[in-house]
Amino acid sequence: MTEETPGFDEQQPDVPSGATSDDAEPKAASPSAEEGAAPAGDTGQDVALVAQLDQARTALSERTADLQRLQAEFQNYRRRVERDRIAVKEIAIANLLTELLPVLDDIGRAREHGELVGGFKSVAESLESTAAKMGLQQFGKEGEPFDPTIHEALMHSYAPDVTETTCVAILQPGYRIGERTIRPARVAVAEPQPGAQTVKADESADADDKESGGPDEG
C-alpha cells in the first residue's frame, strides 16, 4: 500500500459547470473591429480643418466684396473728375469767346461795309475759323419765328405780310457753344397787323360762299 505524499496533488482550475475549456481562455479582440473604429483624434482634426476652410471662404468673400466696392467708388470718382474737367474747360472756353464777341461784331460790320480787305481780311477770317473750331456757332436769320429763349427784341413793329411774330432784321447775331447760348440774337420783330386776322377770316368765308353758290335764299 503506497503512501500519498501530501502537497503534490495536481490541482485543476475550477471550471464552471456546463462550460468547456475553450471558454475559459480569454478571447482575443477581433482585428476587423479594431480596424473599423476610426481614432477619435483624426475626427477632431477633420472638423477643425472644415471650420478653418469655412472661415477662409468667408474672409475671401468679404475681401472680394470690399475690393469690388472700392473699384466701383474709384470708377465713380474718375467719372466725376472727368465731368468736372470737361465743365471747367467749357466754362473757360465760353469766357474766352465771350470776350471776343465784340471783335467778331466789328469784323461783321466791316464785312457789311466792304472794308474787310487785304491783310485785315486774312486775320479776321483766321480768327473766325479758330472760334468755330472751339465750338462757337452763330445764329439768327431774318424771317425766322421769334423765340424769346434765343432772341432779344430791340425793335417792334406791325406788318401785314406776317402771320406770327417774326424776326425781320438781325441787329446783332447770337452765339452759342453746343446747346449753351452765350449771347442771344438781338433782332427787330414784326407782329401781324391788328385786325388782319379778322379780315382774312372774312375773305375766307366769302370765298367759301362763292364756291358753294352763294348764301341760301329764304
Side-chain angles (χ1 to χ4, degrees):
M1 188 173 177
T2 60
E3 296 180 358
E4 294 181 357
T5 306
F8 287 92
D9 292 340
E10 295 180 359
Q11 297 179 355
Q12 296 294 331
D14 295 335
V15 177
S17 60
T20 62
S21 61
D22 294 336
D23 295 337
E25 297 179 358
K27 294 183 179 180
S30 175
S32 59
E34 292 180 354
E35 294 176 357
D42 293 344
T43 303
Q45 291 179 357
D46 293 342
V47 173
L49 289 175
V50 171
Q52 292 178 358
L53 181 59
D54 291 339
Q55 292 178 356
R57 288 175 176 172
T58 302
L60 178 60
S61 300
E62 293 176 353
R63 299 300 179 271
T64 302
D66 292 341
L67 180 60
Q68 292 175 347
R69 183 172 60 255
L70 289 175
Q71 185 176 9
E73 292 177 355
F74 179 69
Q75 293 295 335
N76 293 333
Y77 169 76
R78 289 185 58 184
R79 283 193 289 267
R80 287 196 302 269
V81 170
E82 182 65 17
R83 184 170 60 248
D84 294 343
R85 185 186 66 82
I86 294 174
V88 170
K89 180 181 178 181
E90 290 178 350
I91 292 173
I93 293 175
N95 291 337
L96 173 62
L97 294 177
T98 301
E99 296 296 328
L100 291 178
L101 293 185
V103 179
L104 297 176
D105 292 336
D106 292 338
I107 292 174
R109 283 189 290 267
R111 182 179 287 111
E112 292 176 358
H113 292 84
E115 299 175 355
L116 200 63
V117 295
F120 177 59
K121 178 180 179 181
S122 178
V123 173
E125 291 177 349
S126 178
L127 179 61
E128 290 176 335
S129 177
T130 301
K133 289 180 181 179
M134 297 177 70
L136 185 66
Q137 300 175 356
Q138 186 183 100
F139 66 90
K141 295 181 180 179
E142 295 182 5
E144 64 184 7
F146 175 75
D147 185 352
T149 61
I150 60 174
H151 297 137
E152 180 181 353
L154 300 182
M155 299 179 64
H156 176 269
S157 62
Y158 295 96
D161 56 343
V162 297
T163 58
E164 60 180 341
T165 305
T166 306
C167 300
V168 294
I170 306 300
L171 307 178
Q172 199 174 51
Y175 289 96
R176 66 165 63 97
I177 299 177
E179 299 297 328
R180 179 182 178 184
T181 300
I182 61 176
R183 190 181 76 181
R186 291 163 181 170
V187 299
V189 299
E191 291 182 351
Q193 193 75 26
Q197 297 296 334
T198 305
V199 173
K200 289 183 178 180
D202 294 340
E203 292 177 352
S204 299
D206 293 340
D208 293 339
D209 291 340
K210 290 180 179 180
E211 290 179 358
S212 60
D216 296 336
E217 293 182 358

